[in-house]
Amino acid sequence: MFHRVLPGYSDSKSGQTGDYQMKIGYYSLDEYEKLVKSFHGSLAPGLLIGGFMVDLAQKNLPQGEFFDTICETSSCLPDAVQLLTPCSTGNGWMKVIDFGRFAISFYEKKTGEGIRVFLDLDKLKNCSEVYSWFMKLKPKREQDSNLLMNQIKEAGAEILSIRKIRIDPALFEKKKGGASAVCPVCKEAYPAGHGDKCRNCAGESPYLEVAEM
Amino acid sequence: MFHRVLPGYSDSKSGQTGDYQMKIGYYSLDEYEKLVKSFHGSLAPGLLIGGFMVDLAQKNLPQGEFFDTICETSSCLPDAVQLLTPCSTGNGWMKVIDFGRFAISFYEKKTGEGIRVFLDLDKLKNCSEVYSWFMKLKPKREQDSNLLMNQIKEAGAEILSIRKIRIDPALFEKKKGGASAVCPVCKEAYPAGHGDKCRNCAGESPYLEVAEM
């Protein structure tokens, strides 16, 4: 199972002696919690569920093979994927599509075949606090954060479902070999395929002002 | 200066005794290299330049304040940002816009004011291998990888330029309080604001097949 070999990372199993003996990927729950806090800023409920989602997926995929990933929401899930798999935003093996569905898919790049794991509403009947968090039924200040996290930990993979999926392998294929050009307006390099100017100078700029310092 | 407190991460300065005494953010070059390999898979040239870009930005921003980030390419740079700042894809503090320009901006969320750092073509005159890599003038197998990495390390921030920028603070503002709905087709939760069906079921699905396991 993939795990990040982080600088100075200790392989000791000391983290596994907490309240919960369960593991998320290579990590004990304690270790995963530390990793998440360091990377994401806080142990958001979505990161905890996301950890169980990646873990469930990995248990249902052949070991030693490599899978690209799709997150169907930009909230939380991408960070669970980035911490527990080799996929990241910058290496292109993780894509985010903004459907707002709480789901992650893993697929083999050449065949497009894989699995999809999602938080299953039908399985939340015994997790009232998870249900109300997930469906946004209460403002954050009214949430019982301890109850929410405990329900998630106790449920683990039980609130998740898994499906076989197939995508068109061409869908997220990396376009290789595109030439670079120099934008006549900003003088920066950009993909020539974008047109005769870079997208920024062609009208999509997010900048109201750019000035020398 | 922000640094990720990774599990078991050692604060020893042993990593600083390599060929290059320079630092990238909190890390020695050796430490940054290990971190990048663990997270991104390999020390791509873009991650090394990206490290110097984030470092230069941080040296030009007030300490102790928080800045959101924009990467103007999805290649490599997002991972430098995610490793060296508190911003990640999953926490929403890093946005990626697909301009294919090698640039990162840091901005204060409320005012939209900040700085933009970019790889400056005009400064690559003495870095022939960096220039030909950046402009994609040679196929990868013809690149001199050692020369490329050494030129990047030797140049450090000298091949970068920095500008003051201002964006419209509303541009990337997180829409809060959107209600969730249950999609009548897939029965999964999705943001009600997306319409009467989730985007997947409204025709944007990347899946050719979804099947029970």
Side-chain angles (χ1 to χ4, degrees), chain A residues 170-191:
Chain A
L171 194 61
F172 298 115
E173 209 169 80
K174 212 173 171 180
K175 282 142 205 106
K176 278 199 175 177
S180 288
V182 179
C183 173
V185 184
C186 67
K187 315 293 184 200
E188 291 181 42
Y190 75 103

Side-chain angles (χ1 to χ4, degrees), chain A residues 4-5 8 38 72 76 79 82 88-90 98 101 105 116 164 166 188 199-200 207-209 211, chain B residues 4-5 8 38 72 76 79 82 88-90 98 101 105 116 164-166 188 199-200 207-209 211:
Chain A
R4 300 214 171 277
V5 185
S38 163
E72 294 188 28
C76 294
D79 287 355
Q82 293 189 104
S88 73
T89 299
D98 190 20
R101 295 201 305 183
S105 289
R116 176 177 185 265
K164 272 201 244 184
R166 189 166 62 85
E188 291 181 42
R199 286 181 179 163
N200 182 80
Y207 305 111
L208 301 173
E209 276 179 51
Chain B
R4 300 213 173 277
V5 185
S38 164
E72 294 188 29
C76 295
D79 287 355
Q82 293 188 105
S88 73
T89 299
D98 190 20
R101 296 202 303 184
S105 288
R116 176 178 186 265
K164 272 201 245 185
I165 53 108
R166 188 167 62 86
E188 292 181 43
R199 287 182 178 160
N200 182 79
Y207 304 112
L208 300 174
E209 276 179 51

